[in-house]
Amino acid sequence: MPPAIHPIDLVDILRRHRLTPAIIFLTSRRGCDEAIDTFIHSTAGVSATRSKDIRVFLEQFAKDFPSIENHPLIPVVQDYGVAAHHAGHLPSWKMAIEELMRQGLLDAVFATTTLAAGVDFPARTVVISQSSVRKSQDFSDLTVSEIQQLAGRGGRRGKDFVGFVVVTPSPYIDLHVLGKGLTGQPESIDSQFVVSYPMVLNLLKAHTLDQIEGLLAKSFAQFQLNQRAAIHQERLNELHEQLKPYGPRECADWVAQWKVFDLARRRKAHRRPVVNTDSPYLTACLPFLTPGRLIGLAKGPAIILRQYRSRGTGTPMLSVLHTKGTIGECQAQRVMHIYDHVYEFHPIRTLPWCPPSTLHHFKQVLSQLPSRLPTVPIFEASQEADDPLLTEILTDQFACPTCPSHAACKKDFTSASRLQLKAQQVSKTIQALLDGLWHQFQRKADVLHKFGYLTANLQLTDEGEWGRLIRINHSLLITELIRMDAFSGMAPELLAGVMASIAHDDDRPSNYMRLTPGLASMLTQVRQVADSLSLYEPAPLLRSDVAAIAERWIGQTELSWTSLVRSTSMAEGDVYRLLARTLEFLSQIYGLKGTHPSLADTAHQAMVNMRREVLAELP
Amino acid sequence: MNDDDLQRELVSLPIKYLHQLAKGRIHRHFRLGKRRLIDCILALPSAQKMAIANDLQQISSVPKKSTTGSNRAQPHSPFYPQPSSPKKSHTSESTSPPIVLQDLLEGIGVPEPTAFIPDNWQREAVEAIAQSDVIVSAPTGSGKTFVATEAIKQAMASKQTVIYTSPLKALSNTKYMEFSEYFGKDTVGILTGDRRDNAQAPLLIMTTEILRNILYDATSGDLDLRLHTLGLVILDESQYLADPERGVVWEETLILCPTETRLLLLSASIGNPQELAEWLTSIRPNTSCHLIRHTKRSVPLRSLYLHPTGQLVPLLENRDIQQRKGYRFHPETKRLFNEYEFKPYH
């Protein structure tokens, strides 16, 4: 979000209070560009002499860096003494702005916060209009160190008595974040150590495993992990101290012993039915009270239509058809006789509980019943007391029930087991902290062994010998591609295109470009390989548009920088960075000239083609 | 004045005045918070409330006058599309209190060019680098480069090679030009992934990744640089150690660096330089690591709040920004910012 104040007003106020030169930090590149655009046709110009100084400087600068000669922003910079400075610009243009700023020829530079980490050029005043920055997908508050980096640009040593931080609000600004940032203590830095494949290969090349374990132990990561482990160790000692009163009793490890005993007891307890209030006689009856059974109630005979348990108390209930032809409900314990006769029918789940024809049939049956009917004999099952049996088994296995310290164990078990569990957890954590890096290393080494870069006893294979020279992101993908001969006989521009798409990690969108069929099919293959490797190495974005840009630049040597930039919606600075990074990747491949001479030649050709115009200006 | 109006008035009043109003009317009013106080006032019998309303008008007449006065001068209309003429905002400024700014803005100007005298911490750092590794943690722009150049001079005087690394290519380029100017073009070389300019020079500038790669190659036997004469490695912007993607490179570099080589780590202000120093001391057997921590800025920094209407007021109550002492916003800033949050000018 841009600040609420208009950029011209802002610069005007700064000028009037002699607060220039100033760096004005904005959230987005677009914000910077738009702020500059508002100056066009305004009356906020600088004096003619200053304008001339700027022009002279820029002309001089353009001799060394011809790429800025016809920069579209030159008139604004000359006339109004303001400029934009962000990653979308070419490095040479940014250097020109920085140099102008150092010479005090500019009044204001609109910059994105990324500047804070990068190049340093101070000013008298720093304007901050935001308290949060976009990080990957989300907005997050500026950290104290970041704010101090921004504010630190204010006040030039030797050129100012005082520096200023001007806060001006924009939507969603939080003043307290800035207040805290300006006056607070910067955050501690933490190690971000990760073991990468090239690291494993390069370490194994020169060191034995023991040495490597020593080297990893020397890392700042391990240093910080050790500190955390020390804190946990202290807690562990404390826990052991607390566990002392629960030392060995009749058995050495009584807590574990009691735990097993307790579990066994609990399991025994679970054998009983959960809740059953039915009388034994009723329990014995229930299997006979099935739908279709003829029974005798106090009112007379009836046929059971369904059996169920009442919702509330769980009493067994029956739906019955009385002699009168009515359907009613009754408790199962009210059944007086269970006759030895069952009528087959097809039960249904709603009210008449049976088809109407069956109902009609049953009514007829009930009206024609003989007066005497045979009944079913019911035998009550005697309650089996299995408890004593189980107790016996338990005494066989465990001494606990008869142990003299039974009562003490029972009392102390909960607290002792909790302490012991905690102690186990803590010691596990400590172990993980101490071994984490080494395990990480071993996991990576295992993967490399699986792919054949390492032998079983972790010596470098021939593949590993050259593979270790690829020391960039996605190294596994690149070495695998080389091993598959995916690049053999490939044109330089195609190689550069593929490398560009692997190298480019930015998801800032741009327009689609037409792909040559060769590049398209190549990218599809690379994507397949990358997906198959995604278990071991996160796949790159593999954007086809950046591949097309790189291919065009390297393939068409007569193509000028301006027309390349015009063909894409990417910012000039982004294109530059893409190509510079591709160059880095290509130079790594060129480093394989010992083992892959033809591939290295191709890479070299691509590098030579790439280094022209803007890309040849800076080393 | 009905209850609602009274409540609104009371809420907008600072608590100081509420106590003034409650004095003699509410028992132990000084023990109550603002909200409880307002509730108590509203619960009073109506006759007393009338009296309070009268007092209230007397109290609020003083500060209210000034706000309405400045409101007239500040257009509340959407401001961004048409910039105001400078004359207009000048009038608004004249109504704002001039006293505070005078003090704050005094001393703007360019000091007379004087001979550069290094600060104590700089001298201390330069002396320390002769014997041990050094970490310099100092705010941006406080003169870490001076320490670097002095250390380079020292090392070059004893015919040693110096490597200077920075996290970004852009920074490498700037430093290359700066050092070329300072030490002469022949003594400075730059190494990038594919290009080596003057790689035999005693001072080499590169990104940290390149140095890491050189150290890899050196440990694995195929040495291509004069590491045996390498006397000093300077790592600029060492706080990149905490960079999620590239931080590991700094660690590798520090671990693999030969123990005879001196290290000079230049870093912006970080929270735990002590920890870094302890770490370096623990992994490098022959030397200890000297920590130079400088938190004071060489040029004092002051803070201002610029309201979208063009009013410039102090941001904090203290004139100079002071580190680690907490902060309090200036009341005028608070008032203006509340106004802005209530009705943003965009």
Side-chain angles (χ1 to χ4, degrees):
Chain A
M1 278 290 191
I5 190 165
H6 192 280
I8 294 182
D9 284 334
L10 178 59
V11 172
D12 181 54
I13 289 164
L14 293 175
R15 275 180 183 151
R16 247 182 310 117
H17 287 100
R18 298 204 294 148
L19 291 173
T20 52
I23 307 174
I24 298 156
F25 288 110
L26 301 180
T27 339
S28 62
R29 296 176 183 186
R30 226 182 88 197
C32 296
D33 291 338
E34 282 174 356
I36 292 298
D37 284 344
T38 56
F39 279 87
I40 299 173
H41 307 306
S42 79
T43 52
V46 290
S47 65
T49 48
R50 176 102 74 86
S51 200
K52 190 171 156 261
D53 286 347
I54 296 174
R55 197 175 65 242
V56 169
F57 172 82
L58 284 178
E59 273 164 11
Q60 192 61 38
F61 201 83
K63 277 183 193 153
D64 292 337
F65 299 95
S67 57
I68 67 154
E69 205 170 357
N70 297 313
H71 202 280
L73 286 176
I74 284 179
V76 186
V77 175
Q78 275 178 13
D79 296 346
Y80 303 100
V82 293
H85 184 291
H86 56 71
H89 291 306
L90 281 180
S92 48
W93 175 252
K94 288 198 283 186
M95 282 165 76
I97 298 298
E98 284 155 24
E99 201 48 47
L100 276 173
M101 201 66 179
R102 261 180 228 123
Q103 299 191 3
L105 291 173
L106 292 185
D107 276 347
V109 170
F110 291 85
T112 53
T113 36
T114 45
L115 170 93
V119 192
D120 72 315
F121 60 90
R124 178 174 289 166
T125 305
V126 170
V127 180
I128 302 177
S129 65
Q130 66 196 61
S131 60
S132 53
V133 276
R134 196 171 150 238
K135 277 175 190 159
S136 62
Q137 299 297 319
D138 219 357
F139 275 89
S140 58
D141 279 349
L142 286 164
T143 63
V144 175
S145 343
E146 280 167 342
I147 292 175
Q148 293 195 351
Q149 281 267 1
L150 298 181
R153 311 270 167 226
R156 297 159 296 178
R157 197 186 164 123
K159 284 188 192 166
D160 285 317
F161 287 115
V162 283
F164 289 92
V165 177
V166 175
V167 174
T168 188
S170 65
Y172 313 125
I173 194 175
D174 183 351
L175 277 195
H176 287 279
V177 171
L178 295 178
K180 214 159 83 190
L182 288 173
T183 56
Q185 163 103 2
E187 285 85 3
S188 305
I189 60 171
D190 288 324
S191 169
Q192 304 287 338
F193 196 86
V194 277
V195 180
S196 61
Y197 293 117
M199 191 197 290
V200 173
L201 288 176
N202 280 296
L203 287 179
L204 281 171
K205 164 79 181 166
H207 303 279
T208 63
L209 276 182
D210 290 344
Q211 284 172 332
I212 291 171
E213 204 171 353
L215 280 177
L216 290 177
K218 273 166 117 189
S219 66
F220 189 47
Q222 195 58 59
F223 184 76
Q224 290 193 316
L225 290 176
N226 285 347
Q227 285 181 339
R228 274 167 60 196
I231 294 168
H232 283 292
Q233 187 64 47
E234 241 168 61
R235 259 194 72 209
L236 186 63
N237 293 344
E238 242 168 62
L239 285 172
H240 280 311
E241 199 61 37
Q242 285 170 1
L243 269 171
K244 261 195 188 146
Y246 308 117
R249 290 180 180 170
E250 302 298 312
C251 33
D253 190 5
W254 66 267
V255 182
Q257 190 76 5
W258 182 273
K259 193 174 171 187
V260 181
F261 171 66
D262 202 46
L263 268 179
R265 270 202 325 184
R266 275 164 205 274
R267 199 170 304 139
K268 178 203 74 187
H270 271 285
R271 281 213 180 152
R272 279 193 217 112
V274 189
V275 188
N276 194 353
T277 50
D278 300 349
S279 67
Y281 175 73
L282 190 61
T283 316
C285 284
L286 278 181
F288 296 97
L289 300 175
T290 49
R293 167 77 65 180
L294 188 64
I295 52 168
L297 295 170
K299 289 176 187 172
I303 294 176
I304 298 177
L305 294 175
R306 64 162 185 159
Q307 193 199 77
Y308 64 99
R309 279 186 183 265
S310 75
R311 281 268 172 85
T313 53
T315 328
M317 300 285 289
L318 302 170
S319 300
V320 294
L321 180 69
H322 294 291
T323 10
K324 283 184 287 179
T326 52
I327 297 175
E329 318 289 319
C330 79
Q331 293 181 4
Q333 62 191 22
R334 305 249 180 251
V335 175
M336 299 171 78
H337 310 286
I338 302 174
Y339 298 120
D340 191 11
H341 208 93
V342 179
Y343 300 97
E344 293 284 323
F345 77 101
H346 186 71
I348 55 175
R349 300 184 63 181
T350 46
L351 181 59
W353 312 120
C354 60
S357 56
T358 319
L359 202 64
H360 186 68
H361 172 64
F362 280 171
K363 277 179 197 166
Q364 277 186 347
V365 168
L366 279 171
S367 60
Q368 296 161 13
L369 275 183
S371 53
R372 272 176 173 278
L373 284 164
T375 55
V376 178
I378 301 292
F379 297 106
E380 264 180 63
S382 62
Q383 187 104 43
E384 200 67 50
D386 56 355
D387 299 12
L389 207 80
L390 224 131
T391 327
E392 219 170 292
I393 296 169
L394 284 177
T395 23
D396 277 356
Q397 277 179 358
F398 304 105
C400 292
T402 53
C403 174
S405 61
H406 179 95
C409 289
K410 193 174 179 182
K411 187 170 141 250
D412 293 342
F413 172 68
T414 11
S415 48
S417 73
R418 204 180 50 230
L419 284 175
Q420 217 174 48
L421 193 70
K422 239 182 223 163
Q424 275 167 9
Q425 282 170 347
V426 172
S427 54
K428 246 188 207 170
T429 314
I430 293 173
Q431 215 47 48
L433 288 174
L434 295 181
D435 296 346
L437 278 185
W438 178 238
H439 286 175
Q440 215 181 341
F441 178 85
Q442 282 172 327
R443 269 201 302 279
K444 295 273 172 182
D446 285 347
V447 172
L448 286 170
H449 168 58
K450 192 181 153 204
F451 281 97
Y453 295 98
L454 292 174
T455 59
N457 50 2
L458 298 186
Q459 298 295 310
L460 266 68
T461 59
D462 290 347
E463 253 85 26
E465 283 290 343
W466 59 260
R468 77 182 175 89
L469 296 174
I470 307 288
R471 292 153 183 166
I472 33 185
N473 291 351
H474 311 297
S475 59
L476 190 62
L477 172 64
I478 292 171
T479 49
E480 280 301 293
L481 285 171
I482 293 172
R483 284 175 72 191
M484 286 173 190
D485 268 346
F487 298 136
S488 66
M490 192 187 247
E493 61 266 25
L494 221 55
L495 178 66
V498 172
M499 282 300 138
S501 72
I502 294 174
H504 194 67
D505 274 340
D506 193 355
D507 58 354
R508 202 177 270 273
S510 80
N511 59 341
Y512 291 98
M513 291 184 86
R514 196 184 313 153
L515 291 177
T516 55
L519 186 59
S521 76
M522 189 63 213
L523 279 180
T524 318
Q525 286 173 32
V526 173
R527 191 162 293 131
Q528 274 168 3
V529 178
D531 287 344
S532 71
L533 291 178
S534 58
L535 255 184
Y536 312 106
E537 189 180 66
L541 286 175
L542 286 177
R543 285 172 47 169
S544 53
D545 52 339
V546 297
I549 291 173
E551 191 203 18
R552 202 168 286 189
W553 180 247
I554 280 126
Q556 307 170 14
T557 37
E558 69 288 349
L559 187 74
S560 74
W561 177 255
T562 15
S563 47
L564 177 76
V565 172
R566 209 175 297 139
S567 69
T568 167
S569 63
M570 270 168 93
E572 212 174 7
D574 288 331
V575 179
Y576 178 89
R577 224 159 325 110
L578 162 72
L579 292 178
R581 212 166 135 75
T582 311
L583 194 66
E584 213 172 283
F585 274 50
L586 285 171
S587 75
Q588 297 261 320
I589 291 187
Y590 176 58
L592 301 180
K593 48 188 177 287
T595 48
H596 300 77
S598 69
L599 178 63
D601 270 354
T602 316
H604 187 67
Q605 188 54 46
M607 284 158 67
V608 170
N609 285 0
M610 183 176 295
R611 277 220 176 266
R612 57 180 212 268
E613 282 196 48
V614 183
L615 280 137
E617 276 179 2
L618 287 166
Chain B
M1 187 182 273
N2 62 12
D3 269 13
D4 286 356
D5 287 351
L6 185 62
Q7 186 177 7
R8 215 170 304 126
E9 287 280 338
L10 290 173
V11 167
S12 65
L13 223 56
I15 184 112
K16 185 175 83 180
Y17 294 115
L18 290 183
H19 285 303
Q20 205 175 314
L21 290 172
K23 203 170 183 182
R25 295 190 172 108
I26 293 167
H27 182 57
R28 291 164 75 81
H29 63 91
F30 44 82
R31 300 294 297 272
L32 303 178
K34 188 169 183 180
R35 185 175 302 165
R36 282 271 291 140
L37 203 53
I38 292 170
D39 288 346
C40 286
I41 290 175
L42 291 175
L44 289 172
S46 56
Q48 286 205 22
K49 262 193 279 190
M50 289 283 283
I52 283 179
N54 276 338
D55 289 358
L56 196 64
Q57 257 147 24
Q58 275 180 5
I59 289 171
S60 55
S61 61
V62 188
K64 245 189 164 175
K65 212 176 266 168
S66 72
T67 51
T68 47
S70 59
N71 270 350
R72 214 177 302 130
Q74 300 156 16
H76 272 272
S77 58
F79 204 73
Y80 203 102
Q82 320 93 355
S84 65
S85 64
K87 209 176 173 187
K88 201 170 177 186
S89 39
H90 202 80
T91 50
S92 82
E93 197 189 307
S94 61
T95 55
S96 67
I99 12 130
V100 275
L101 271 190
Q102 213 71 71
D103 177 40
L104 203 69
L105 291 178
E106 84 175 355
I108 293 186
V110 181
E112 290 293 311
T114 50
F116 177 80
I117 303 161
D119 292 348
N120 279 338
W121 67 269
Q122 287 172 320
R123 239 176 287 135
E124 192 189 337
V126 174
E127 277 161 26
I129 191 68
Q131 286 107 36
S132 65
D133 299 339
V134 174
I135 296 179
V136 176
S137 167
T140 329
S142 52
K144 280 173 294 211
T145 313
F146 171 77
V147 179
T149 43
E150 288 303 304
I152 293 169
K153 265 193 222 160
Q154 272 184 15
M156 289 214 286
S158 50
K159 299 265 181 266
Q160 286 174 323
T161 311
V162 181
I163 289 180
Y164 184 101
T165 77
S166 68
L168 303 168
K169 254 190 187 169
L171 272 175
S172 296
N173 286 328
T174 323
K175 277 283 176 281
Y176 177 54
M177 287 188 203
E178 205 178 313
F179 286 149
S180 300
E181 228 166 78
Y182 191 86
F183 293 107
K185 210 140 182 97
D186 301 340
T187 46
V188 188
I190 187 165
L191 265 68
T192 61
D194 63 318
R195 204 190 244 198
R196 342 197 106 186
D197 285 4
N198 201 7
Q200 295 306 311
L203 169 58
L204 292 173
I205 294 166
M206 57 187 85
T207 57
T208 315
E209 271 85 354
I210 304 284
L211 175 58
R212 194 264 321 256
N213 289 349
I214 288 173
L215 291 172
Y216 268 165
D217 293 337
T219 46
S220 56
D222 28 53
L223 179 106
D224 70 332
L225 232 130
R226 299 140 294 145
L227 273 188
H228 52 281
T229 60
L230 180 61
L232 176 67
V233 170
I234 302 174
L235 298 168
D236 200 359
E237 309 279 340
S238 317
Q239 73 274 14
Y240 259 73
L241 189 82
D243 188 84
E245 275 173 35
R246 300 173 55 201
V248 56
V249 179
W250 269 254
E251 271 185 62
E252 283 176 273
T253 308
L254 289 171
I255 295 168
L256 296 174
C257 224
T259 43
E260 311 82 53
T261 308
R262 292 279 76 76
L263 286 176
L264 174 57
L265 275 69
L266 307 176
S267 133
S269 299
I270 53 171
N272 54 346
Q274 191 61 46
E275 199 180 350
L276 262 183
E278 276 167 26
W279 170 57
L280 275 184
T281 308
S282 76
I283 65 164
R284 293 171 66 81
N286 299 338
T287 62
S288 63
C289 180
H290 196 89
L291 170 68
I292 307 281
R293 194 176 188 180
H294 177 70
T295 48
K296 206 169 162 290
R297 290 178 44 91
S298 46
V299 178
L301 198 62
R302 296 176 191 166
S303 57
L304 292 164
Y305 174 78
L306 177 61
H307 201 55
T309 52
Q311 266 173 295
L312 202 61
V313 294
L315 177 72
L316 302 177
E317 285 206 324
N318 297 335
R319 196 178 71 154
D320 290 1
I321 292 177
Q322 283 166 337
Q323 303 289 309
R324 304 175 234 307
K325 285 201 181 139
Y327 64 95
R328 259 157 85 202
F329 289 124
H330 194 272
E332 191 64 8
T333 294
K334 271 195 218 165
R335 189 182 68 77
L336 287 172
F337 187 68
N338 280 341
E339 202 178 284
Y340 166 81
E341 284 209 307
F342 177 65
K343 190 178 174 187
Y345 297 84
H346 62 91

